[in-house]
Amino acid sequence: MASKKMLCSEWEPINPMEYKGIWVYVEVEGGHIHEASLQLLGEARRIADELDTYVGAVIIGYGIKELAREPIYYGADKVFVVDDPRLEKYYPNLYGDVVCKLAKKHKPEALLVGGTMRGRELAPYIANNLKTGITADLTSIEVDKETGDIILIRPPFGAWMLAHIKTRNRRPVMGSVRPNIFPTPERNEDRDGEVIEETIDEVLDPRMEYLEYTPIEKAEEIPIEKADIIVSGGKGLGSKEGFKLLEELAELLGGVIAGSRKAVDAGWIPHDRQVGQTGKTVKPNIYFAVGISGAAQHIFGIREAKRVVAINIDPDAPIFENADYGIVGDYKEIIPALIEVIKEMKMKKSGSAKN
Amino acid sequence: MPLDIIVGIKWVPNTTAVNIDPKTGTLIREGIPSVVNPHDLTAVEMALKLKDKYGGSVTAISMAPPSALAGLEHVIGMGVDRGILASDRAFAGADTLATSYVLAKVIEKIGRFDLVIMGHETIDSSTAHIGAQVASWLNLPYVYYVVDAVLEDDGNTLEVTRILENAYEKYRIRLPAVISIAMHTFNPRRVRLSEKLRAKMEKPIEIWSIKDLEIDPNCAGLRGSPTVVSGIDFVPKVPRKNEVFQGSDPKEAARWLLSKLIEEGLLDL
Ligand SMILES: Cc1cc2nc3c(=O)[nH]c(=O)nc-3n(C[C@H](O)[C@H](O)[C@H](O)COP(=O)(O)OP(=O)(O)OC[C@H]3O[C@@H](n4cnc5c(N)ncnc54)[C@H](O)[C@@H]3O)c2cc1C
Ligand SMILES: Nc1ncnc2c1ncn2[C@@H]1O[C@H](COP(=O)(O)O)[C@@H](O)[C@H]1O
């Protein structure tokens, strides 16, 4: 029997029709706007044009006014700014509360948040305070041609499939998006838009105190999402030692190393070097998959690699179906052979250059 | 100052055992064993470490079908004092908003607690939503990706260190609060048979239904979930060359590969 759906008693009733505009939460870190936020502005622009509505950017913090026009250059029509000394330090509940206040006032139809670590911490709190749904790690956005509904799309359990997720009767439609899922739009200073300065009367007591920020010293390495050549290792390497070989190969080719989730889970390589659905999307010219079976969630992260090279001991490993060039064999033999031949070639070249 | 801690654990299919049928692209589910989400074992370890140091208690909670009792027994085997399984047909089909609501109600019913600890994320859905949502329902301060927590002398504040992409941050957070533990921070301790036996003898695990929790059925399960899957389609496969080296000599293989890449202008050696 079709009965009228009763609303959860904890949810304030809303009228979804009143909600307009595609919003992006703009994350500021160390005086800069995070690239993930810029990427979302480009995608928000596309959706807003399709729905004939505006793109809104939310920037909050202290001393951030000079950044307020920046989102406009990347596609925003309106920028809602809260510049307030009480927001000098980031507290997830405090920042979340301020974004909720703005969203309650202006009623955006959608709100997108970059899937940085802070973004992933903040977004579900905002969604929950607004009693709306949220989709993590969406990979594309569509507008239903008939109903105008915004549909968020993400790979579920098996990444060969994509789930289309709708938000029934609640607004804004919310999602978080990992960095590099969408391209960074071109900055265009000729674009025009409106900066709206908002003030907040009462802010939440965060019940937290910010004590210390200590940057992590990292070797000057190219982040994997920017690398042209990636040598990536999986569970098949058998140990952390295996990565030394990969490192040597990567260095010879001017590339970097990365890994599968199993390699990360084993502690052989840090999480920020994980490729795949729950790691990073990479777009190198050459991606070497060494001892990686080729699970859907892994392949998802390399769909934009120009060429994929697979080195695997098992001729039936699915990675070969997803590779351009494959070598069946033990990496402990193949990688040293590659290193040797490359060294020979380099020697010949420098030799002939000298003559 | 003792700490009363609640840990959220989820019983998930062991994804390292999950295979996908490469022909149909569907998940092969038959015979896949379930495990406690590995990142939740890290959270349990953190809770037990705090209890070892300051005294108090650790209660594990889960919203799941009855099969998840095995997960609660597992963590009781590690030294958790009490387990509560929120289980009811009405909880089925929940998205993260509805799941976190039930968990928040469980925590409210437990009543006395200082700290809620969650895992980094689950390996089956990987949303990392539940911690923040529970904090929102309970109106508590929260912080994610914790690697260290020290109780201050007043017994009411916790100094936590957390890790971000490029930095450590330190916060002082007033209790009660919610934290999630960064993955791989600790190695979870082993299950001890004597503890597991205790789980069988003393029955420290309770099952709470929607009635026990006095939850409005419109707030739980499918009905309490704003998001629905409206369709599934397949990821278009990226066309690849699928050339495989024929032969067994590693150096020949290496030459073959490098010449291909050089030919295409992708390498300059
Ligand atoms: C929601 C979800 C999200 C996920 N996200 C990701 C993600 O972002 N990234 C990711 O990578 N995975 C992800 N996974 C996990 C994924 O399903 C696989 O479990 C994982 O990718 C497998 O890693 P692997 O290929 O290194 O290991 P395995 O599947 O164990 O493969 C090891 C391979 O090494 C080969 N091998 C063994 N010995 C040798 C040798 N001596 N020389 C050469 N080859 C050898 C074997 O033949 C085998 O093919 C996710 C899973 C889920 C459920
Ligand atoms: N059904 C559940 N029951 C208890 N705790 C859960 C449940 N689902 C998630 N959690 C907790 O919330 C964390 C984040 O989960 P997720 O949002 O699914 O990635 C997990 O690591 C658990 O600690």
Side-chain angles (χ1 to χ4, degrees):
Chain A
M1 268 241 322
S3 62
K4 211 166 175 199
K5 192 181 170 290
M6 297 278 289
L7 199 67
C8 166
S9 47
E10 304 271 356
W11 304 356
E12 243 173 77
I14 64 157
N15 177 4
M17 304 307 286
E18 287 172 6
Y19 287 67
K20 296 276 181 286
I22 311 297
W23 277 23
V24 172
Y25 170 75
V26 172
E27 183 177 339
V28 179
E29 157 101 85
H32 297 282
I33 293 178
H34 202 289
E35 183 134 6
S37 308
L38 301 178
Q39 292 165 349
L40 288 187
L41 286 168
E43 184 62 9
R45 180 76 264 156
R46 189 183 69 77
I47 304 300
D49 288 343
E50 212 168 313
L51 286 169
D52 202 12
T53 182
Y54 74 96
V55 173
V58 182
I59 289 200
I60 67 173
Y62 183 49
I64 40 114
K65 251 183 217 153
E66 54 269 33
L67 292 173
R69 294 205 67 79
E70 212 47 38
I72 296 172
Y73 306 147
Y74 289 89
D77 301 303
K78 296 181 188 178
V79 185
F80 302 91
V81 186
V82 183
D83 198 340
D84 188 317
R86 293 170 298 180
L87 301 179
E88 186 184 358
K89 295 280 187 269
Y90 164 82
Y91 302 104
N93 54 352
L94 172 63
Y95 269 49
D97 187 61
V98 171
V99 176
C100 286
K101 286 191 166 114
L102 295 178
K104 279 189 179 153
K105 180 170 166 194
H106 296 283
K107 301 188 180 1
E109 182 173 4
L111 170 57
L112 303 173
V113 180
T116 60
M117 288 177 84
R118 278 186 175 166
R120 288 171 61 81
E121 170 181 61
L122 189 60
Y125 188 83
I126 297 171
N128 210 82
N129 270 8
L130 298 172
K131 308 292 178 275
T132 188
I134 172 162
T135 300
D137 302 337
L138 62 94
T139 53
S140 58
I141 306 174
E142 271 175 20
V143 174
D144 186 320
K145 289 267 169 338
E146 273 161 41
T147 58
D149 283 340
I150 294 172
I151 302 171
L152 304 181
I153 298 168
R154 86 173 293 221
F157 206 39
W160 302 128
M161 292 172 289
L162 293 172
H164 292 229
I165 295 166
K166 270 193 187 175
T167 308
R168 298 175 299 188
N169 307 321
R170 302 300 294 174
R171 295 292 179 269
V173 172
M174 276 192 72
S176 69
V177 189
R178 298 253 179 194
N180 287 319
I181 291 290
F182 299 118
T184 309
E186 197 99 24
R187 185 175 188 275
N188 178 2
E189 280 200 37
D190 296 335
R191 273 194 48 90
D192 210 8
E194 187 187 355
V195 173
I196 300 156
E197 286 185 27
E198 296 276 347
T199 50
I200 304 285
D201 296 337
E202 229 178 283
V203 299
L204 185 90
D205 171 7
R207 284 169 282 162
M208 269 194 261
E209 197 185 325
Y210 197 98
L211 298 178
E212 217 173 277
Y213 180 91
T214 320
I216 296 172
E217 299 294 334
K218 278 192 188 155
E220 287 272 325
E221 263 197 89
I222 311 166
I224 60 170
E225 56 272 38
K226 299 239 158 80
D228 285 332
I229 293 179
I230 298 177
V231 183
S232 190
K235 189 72 195 224
L237 295 195
S239 71
K240 197 170 182 161
E241 298 308 300
F243 272 97
K244 291 226 175 87
L245 266 180
L246 302 201
E247 189 122 41
E248 200 182 327
L249 177 61
E251 210 166 290
L252 269 178
L253 298 174
V256 301
I257 57 166
S260 71
R261 178 150 122 179
K262 277 200 193 170
V264 171
D265 283 347
W268 300 342
I269 189 152
H271 182 62
D272 67 355
R273 310 221 136 231
Q274 180 186 314
V275 172
Q277 184 193 336
T278 48
K280 287 182 169 157
T281 293
V282 294
K283 24 188 114 158
N285 286 328
I286 311 174
Y287 184 85
F288 292 86
V290 185
I292 292 175
S293 61
Q297 296 90 353
H298 188 83
I299 301 300
F300 193 82
I302 58 171
R303 59 198 191 286
E304 287 181 49
K306 201 172 271 165
R307 287 286 172 260
V308 175
V309 173
I311 297 167
N312 198 301
I313 206 163
D314 173 9
D316 294 324
I319 188 71
F320 288 115
E321 288 167 37
N322 295 288
D324 296 291
Y325 303 117
I327 298 175
V328 180
D330 189 334
Y331 85 93
K332 284 185 188 136
E333 293 175 7
I334 308 295
I335 301 292
L338 268 168
I339 291 170
E340 207 182 318
V341 175
I342 292 168
K343 280 185 178 162
E344 282 171 16
M345 291 168 103
K346 285 197 165 180
M347 284 251 277
K348 247 189 228 151
K349 195 170 178 186
S350 64
S352 60
K354 263 179 217 139
N355 291 340
Chain B
M1 283 303 274
L3 275 178
D4 289 317
I5 303 171
I6 296 172
V7 191
I9 67 164
K10 191 174 176 193
W11 186 240
V12 296
N14 183 355
T15 55
T16 56
V18 168
N19 271 312
I20 287 154
D21 185 333
K23 303 265 144 32
T24 61
T26 53
L27 216 62
I28 306 169
R29 285 185 189 275
E30 288 94 77
I32 294 169
S34 287
V35 291
V36 177
N37 178 41
H39 306 313
D40 298 349
L41 294 179
T42 306
V44 169
E45 179 60 36
M46 177 63 155
L48 293 172
K49 275 204 162 65
L50 289 170
K51 183 189 153 188
D52 291 345
K53 197 161 158 195
Y54 304 110
S57 68
V58 179
T59 302
I61 65 171
S62 191
M63 185 195 94
S67 58
L69 278 172
L72 288 167
E73 279 168 14
H74 180 96
V75 298
I76 286 193
M78 288 170 70
V80 164
D81 301 286
R82 180 184 181 203
I84 290 160
L85 181 68
S87 198
D88 199 298
R89 271 174 204 284
F91 299 158
D95 70 3
T96 58
L97 183 73
T99 303
S100 62
Y101 184 64
V102 171
L103 293 173
K105 284 295 191 183
V106 169
I107 294 169
E108 267 177 11
K109 189 172 155 76
I110 291 172
R112 239 216 72 71
F113 68 96
D114 301 299
L115 184 64
V116 178
I117 302 184
M118 298 293 182
H120 190 137
E121 61 186 34
T122 49
I123 58 170
D124 63 340
S125 54
S126 294
T127 71
H129 283 172
I130 301 293
Q133 287 171 319
V134 164
S136 159
W137 285 116
L138 299 173
N139 191 19
L140 293 178
Y142 76 104
V143 62
Y144 273 14
Y145 324 121
V146 167
V147 293
D148 192 28
V150 179
L151 187 65
E152 307 212 322
D153 292 337
D154 64 3
N156 295 320
T157 41
L158 199 66
E159 194 182 291
V160 298
T161 307
R162 62 102 152 242
I163 186 167
L164 293 177
E165 286 94 344
N166 302 309
Y168 288 102
E169 288 186 320
K170 243 187 203 161
Y171 286 94
R172 182 177 289 138
I173 185 164
R174 231 178 293 159
L175 300 177
V178 180
I179 62 176
S180 85
I181 306 300
M183 56 174 77
H184 309 312
T185 301
F186 307 106
N187 282 325
R189 64 192 64 182
R190 284 173 191 285
V191 168
R192 299 216 329 257
L193 206 61
S194 55
E195 295 284 349
K196 251 197 141 163
L197 280 175
R198 193 179 67 83
K200 286 264 184 293
M201 308 287 290
E202 291 177 16
K203 303 213 181 348
I205 302 177
E206 291 163 57
I207 300 182
W208 290 354
S209 69
I210 193 165
K211 279 221 181 72
D212 297 325
L213 290 163
E214 296 174 31
I215 286 174
D216 169 1
N218 290 314
C219 302
L222 203 56
R223 282 203 260 171
S225 300
T227 60
V228 284
V229 175
S230 64
I232 293 270
D233 58 25
F234 286 90
V235 180
K237 234 181 169 180
V238 178
R240 296 281 178 198
K241 289 175 184 279
N242 304 127
E243 291 180 27
V244 177
F245 174 73
Q246 303 297 330
S248 58
D249 178 41
K251 274 188 89 168
E252 240 174 72
R255 279 196 202 96
W256 170 81
L257 176 63
L258 292 169
S259 68
K260 291 276 181 194
L261 296 172
I262 292 167
E263 233 168 75
E264 289 199 79
L266 296 172
L267 272 187
D268 179 25
L269 289 172

